[in-house]
């Protein structure tokens, strides 16, 4: 395994490949993402340990979605069992993934506990708004926005630490602690590509929002926009999760076993080398 430094333009290529691969298997990729979200939601409802368990499955679920993308790239239909890939690679790597999940849960819970001390406001409204308009007003409140901003800033380093870690543990047998270090270094060294990657997805989400607003304006139905917002957001999130695999594949010279798909630059028909 060797770190691969890619051009900043590769970030846009990752977005393109994520969209392209999702559209090749939209039912499978969206279904797997919804299944993961449903399991996480149900776990979070359990008393005492529910939230911890919901956080703990995130690295394993991320790896499962990456494995599903790998299958889709090969032209295969990813089955639901692919989400369990992290627990089917032997006891040693399964234990390593559980340790990684525990570290992720600890980091997220620490953020949850720290934010109220930094901002005098809860991260979510204490009472569910009765109407869509009331919910929009609550989310536009300065205190709520400040809370979300602080939460995002605290989560950013956690995201960098765990971005590549599940794949490094599963496909390369790297220890959990070392995987966090390698993930962080890879993200920092390829900061330009990840910046373009983030901007690219921001543009995609913004474009979909504009299209939805235009349709709502033409139909004159605010109810339509409210009804379509959540399903569309989940579909976009599923599409985004499909692109994560490509960020890992091109950030390291060694590729996962049985992956002959080539680099993102090859897939995008460019001859630019990192």
């Amino acid at each position: 395994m060797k770190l691969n430094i890619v051009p900043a333009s590769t970030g846009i290529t990752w977005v393109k490949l994520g969209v392209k691969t999702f559209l090749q298997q939209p039912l499978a990729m969206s279904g797997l993402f919804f299944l993961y979200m449903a399991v996480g939601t149900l776990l979070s409802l359990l008393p005492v340990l529910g939230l911890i368990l919901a956080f703990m499955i995130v690295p394993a679920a991320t790896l499962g979605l990456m494995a599903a993308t790998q299958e889709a790239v090969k032209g295969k239909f990813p089955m639901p069992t692919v989400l369990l890939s992290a627990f089917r690679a032997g006891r040693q790597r399964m234990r390593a993934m559980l340790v990684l999940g525990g570290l992720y849960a600890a980091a997220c819970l620490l953020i949850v506990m720290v934010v109220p001390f930094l901002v005098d406001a809860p991260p979510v409204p204490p009472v569910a708004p009765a109407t869509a308009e009331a919910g929009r007003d609550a989310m536009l409140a300065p205190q709520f926005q400040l809370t979300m901003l602080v939460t995002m800033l605290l989560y950013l380093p956690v995201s960098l630490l765990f971005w590549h870690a599940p794949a490094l543990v599963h496909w390369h047998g790297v220890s959990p602690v070392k995987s966090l270090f390698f993930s962080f270094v890879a993200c920092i060294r390829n900061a330009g590509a990840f910046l373009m990657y983030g901007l690219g997805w921001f543009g995609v989400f913004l474009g979909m929002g504009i299209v939805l607003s235009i349709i709502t304006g033409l139909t004159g139905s605010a109810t339509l926009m409210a009804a379509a917002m959540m399903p569309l957001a989940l579909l976009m999130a599923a599409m985004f999760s499909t692109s994560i695999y490509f960020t890992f594949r091109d950030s390291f010279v060694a590729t996962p076993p049985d992956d002959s798909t080539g680099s993102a630059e090859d897939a995008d028909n460019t001859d630019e080398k990192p």
Side-chain angles (χ1 to χ4, degrees):
M1 183 190 66
K2 182 180 178 182
L3 176 63
N4 190 34
I5 309 300
V6 299
S9 59
T10 307
I12 300 299
T13 303
W14 292 337
V15 176
K16 293 178 181 178
L17 288 174
V19 174
K20 178 182 177 181
T21 306
F22 178 85
L23 294 178
Q24 288 174 348
Q25 296 285 0
L27 293 178
M29 300 308 297
S30 58
L32 289 172
F33 182 80
F34 293 161
L35 178 59
Y36 154 57
M37 292 296 295
V39 172
T41 300
L42 291 176
L43 286 175
S44 66
L45 296 177
L46 296 176
V48 186
L49 297 179
L51 186 60
I52 296 176
L53 293 175
F55 283 140
M56 283 189 66
I57 69 169
V58 171
T62 300
L63 186 279
L65 292 172
M66 292 174 70
T69 302
Q70 189 183 50
E71 292 292 295
V73 167
K74 296 176 183 178
K76 300 179 181 180
F77 185 89
M79 301 301 292
T81 53
V82 76
L83 288 178
L84 300 176
S85 297
F87 306 109
R88 299 165 64 187
R91 293 184 179 180
Q92 182 177 357
R93 296 193 180 183
M94 182 180 69
R95 285 196 297 267
M97 190 65 69
L98 290 174
V99 170
L100 196 66
L103 293 173
Y104 182 81
C108 290
L109 289 174
L110 181 61
I111 292 175
V112 171
M113 291 185 294
V114 167
V115 168
F117 290 98
L118 298 178
V119 182
D120 187 21
V124 294
V127 179
T131 64
E133 183 178 354
R136 184 174 62 252
D137 292 341
M139 288 188 291
L140 292 176
Q143 280 292 82
F144 179 80
Q145 292 187 349
L146 178 60
T147 301
M148 296 307 297
L149 177 60
V150 171
T151 303
M152 290 172 57
L153 290 176
L154 291 177
Y155 183 73
L156 178 59
V158 175
S159 177
L160 299 181
L161 286 168
F162 286 89
W163 191 267
H164 297 304
L168 290 171
V169 166
H170 179 75
W171 278 314
H172 293 288
V174 180
S175 67
V177 175
K178 287 184 177 180
S179 72
L180 297 178
F181 173 77
F182 292 149
S183 175
F184 188 83
V185 171
C187 290
I188 295 299
R189 294 293 300 275
N190 284 317
F194 276 96
L195 176 61
M196 296 303 296
Y197 176 70
L199 291 175
W201 276 114
F202 176 78
V204 173
F205 276 78
L206 181 62
M208 291 301 296
I210 292 174
V211 170
L212 184 59
S213 297
I214 292 175
I215 295 176
T216 302
L218 293 175
T219 59
S221 174
T223 305
L224 174 64
M225 183 174 183
M229 185 64 71
M230 183 58 69
L232 181 61
L234 290 174
L235 282 174
M236 296 300 295
M239 190 179 295
F240 170 79
S241 69
T242 304
S243 68
I244 295 176
Y245 167 73
F246 301 105
T247 70
F248 167 73
R249 187 186 67 179
D250 293 339
S251 292
F252 298 92
V253 173
T255 56
D258 301 324
D259 179 16
S260 58
T261 56
S263 68
E265 286 80 7
D266 294 335
D268 201 39
N269 294 323
T270 67
D271 57 1
E272 184 177 18
K273 301 297 181 182

